[in-house]
Amino acid sequence: MDIFISSAFGNSQKKKEKKMKISAAVVAAAFSLAFSFILVNFTGQCDAALQQGFYKGKCNSQDVEAIVASVVKRRFNDKPRVAAGLIRLFFHDCFVNGCDASILLDGDSSEKTAPPNLSVSGYDVIDEAKGLLEEACAGIVSCADIIAIAARDAVQLSGGGRYEVQTGRRDGFVSLASNVDLPSPRFSVSQSADAFSKKGIGLTDMVLLLGGHTIGFTNCSLFRDRLYNFDNTGKPDPTMDPLLVLKLRLICPQNSPATRTPVSLDQNLASTFIVDNSFYKQIRLGRGILQIDQALALDPLTNNTVASLANGNDFLARFGQAMVKLGAVDVLTDSQGEIRESCHLKNKPRSTFLFG
């Protein structure tokens, strides 16, 4: 509280009124600043956080997302299966240490060498996009953001619609095979839910993200037990359509050497390369390939969500939203991490770029 003392009441009153006006102005300015800070944080329009259009005006008038899209589109036109690989690359990166491109780093014991990542593909697409972006604006665009943009473009090119990608990620320094702890395709729904929950992803979003299997592929080693000796019963998984069991046994003989023949996770073969809700329709018919996929349609925790997605028309929009949530898991921003010169190699200590 401020106290004014004057021999004349008139002068004292004027000073009080002036002081009150100044104080009110200070309070209003402080309130405005605080409100602006709150608004910035809720809308994500802050350099220290992910945001749409992060690179606008930062790449010498070049459109960063368009450069990535041109590479993905050309690769997709040549080989549509590249889309599934890019989505899987995005998932495997974000689920370990967050979306920091740590999966791209080379090394004898890096994430690349972990068994679940040995079949990951799409590295060459990211490398090509990174090379073009380094030519356009060296040291500006992170490999982590390129992965996220490429995954979105893969979804769009596969008929899944376009969702807006938030960018502003930076690249991580740590890549260890020992850190790779991805949910197993043989997990129960509860086990998978627990794994996703640790990443801040809820049950419904888990079901949506596993819907990415709509254009996914796998190989016999990950489901052969369901064809011949499910849970050591000496019999096939009773939840799998018997006709599908017979079909898959022709592709995956019981005692043959491991085969790399790709098997579509969406058994509506007319929809193999299309991002749509066909996957959910198939697993409701007992035509899920992976154990976790089939479990989604049967478990009380998720069967209603699966039914809703199979019968509804909102999967594409919801899938995009779930991908955005996944892309925000444990990200590095602002001065954290680095912008790699090469996606495969950490920068030398002197080579770290910061935005102003």
Side-chain angles (χ1 to χ4, degrees):
M1 179 180 293
D2 296 290
I3 300 176
F4 298 91
I5 301 175
S6 174
S7 58
F9 177 80
N11 289 338
S12 175
Q13 185 67 17
K14 289 180 181 178
K15 288 181 179 180
K16 287 181 181 180
E17 291 175 354
K18 183 177 181 181
K19 181 63 177 179
M20 288 175 66
K21 289 180 180 179
I22 294 173
S23 297
V26 170
V27 170
F31 178 80
S32 177
L33 179 62
F35 181 77
S36 297
F37 177 78
I38 293 171
L39 182 62
V40 162
N41 279 276
F42 272 102
T43 58
Q45 302 303 307
C46 175
D47 280 348
L50 299 184
Q51 57 184 275
Q52 295 176 18
F54 179 81
Y55 293 109
K56 187 175 182 180
K58 295 176 179 175
C59 190
N60 298 324
S61 302
Q62 297 292 308
D63 186 332
V64 167
E65 293 189 25
I67 291 174
V68 176
S70 68
V71 175
V72 176
K73 183 176 181 179
R74 181 165 45 77
R75 294 299 192 97
F76 176 85
N77 289 340
D78 182 56
K79 186 180 180 181
R81 276 187 60 186
V82 74
L86 290 170
I87 294 171
R88 186 169 182 239
L89 176 64
F90 177 59
F91 179 85
H92 281 227
D93 181 47
C94 291
F95 224 84
V96 180
N97 293 337
C99 309
D100 64 350
S102 54
I103 194 173
L104 302 181
L105 287 172
D106 290 334
D108 292 339
S109 59
S110 70
E111 290 176 29
K112 280 183 179 179
T113 67
N117 288 337
L118 294 178
S119 59
V120 169
S121 61
Y123 299 117
D124 55 335
V125 180
I126 306 303
D127 287 342
E128 182 179 347
K130 176 63 172 176
L132 293 176
L133 288 166
E134 284 298 295
E135 291 178 5
C137 49
I140 297 297
V141 184
S142 71
C143 301
D145 277 340
I146 296 172
I147 294 175
I149 296 168
R152 185 275 310 280
D153 294 338
V155 171
Q156 183 180 10
L157 289 167
S158 302
R162 181 182 178 86
Y163 58 89
E164 295 303 320
V165 173
Q166 294 180 321
T167 45
R169 299 168 189 79
R170 290 170 66 82
D171 301 323
F173 300 114
V174 178
S175 181
L176 296 172
S178 57
N179 288 340
V180 176
D181 187 21
L182 294 160
S184 167
R186 295 185 173 89
F187 269 7
S188 67
V189 169
S190 294
Q191 289 173 313
S192 290
D194 182 60
F196 276 83
S197 177
K198 290 177 181 177
K199 303 299 177 182
I201 298 173
L203 197 62
T204 298
D205 284 321
M206 178 191 82
V207 176
L208 287 163
L209 290 170
L210 289 176
H213 287 172
T214 183
I215 59 170
F217 292 84
T218 189
N219 61 73
C220 297
S221 65
L222 293 179
F223 64 87
R224 183 182 275 110
D225 60 317
R226 297 189 68 210
L227 306 179
Y228 299 100
N229 190 27
F230 183 66
D231 282 350
N232 295 315
T233 62
K235 299 178 181 179
D237 185 341
T239 67
M240 183 180 282
D241 176 2
L243 293 178
L244 181 59
V245 171
L246 294 176
K247 172 188 171 183
L248 294 175
R249 282 180 170 180
L250 296 175
I251 301 172
C252 308
Q254 184 171 13
N255 298 314
S256 68
T259 175
R260 305 301 296 180
T261 301
V263 176
S264 177
L265 295 176
D266 182 349
Q267 281 296 297
N268 173 9
L269 299 185
S271 181
T272 297
F273 298 109
I274 301 173
V275 172
D276 57 16
N277 66 344
S278 173
F279 166 78
Y280 299 107
K281 294 178 181 179
Q282 291 296 305
I283 62 176
R284 294 192 77 209
L285 296 173
R287 296 174 61 79
I289 301 298
L290 300 178
Q291 186 172 333
I292 179 57
D293 290 351
Q294 190 57 65
L296 293 177
L298 300 173
D299 194 292
L301 289 173
T302 52
N303 60 1
N304 287 336
T305 302
V306 169
S308 174
L309 291 168
N311 296 322
N313 58 9
D314 59 350
F315 167 65
L316 299 183
R318 296 175 68 184
F319 179 67
Q321 293 167 2
M323 289 286 279
V324 171
K325 290 181 183 179
L326 176 62
V329 170
D330 296 333
V331 295
L332 303 175
T333 59
D334 196 24
S335 61
Q336 299 170 318
E338 65 178 357
I339 304 297
R340 290 185 210 140
E341 297 170 10
S342 165
C343 288
H344 293 284
L345 302 170
K346 288 183 286 188
N347 292 341
K348 296 178 182 180
R350 63 184 176 81
S351 301
T352 299
F353 299 89
L354 301 177
F355 292 124

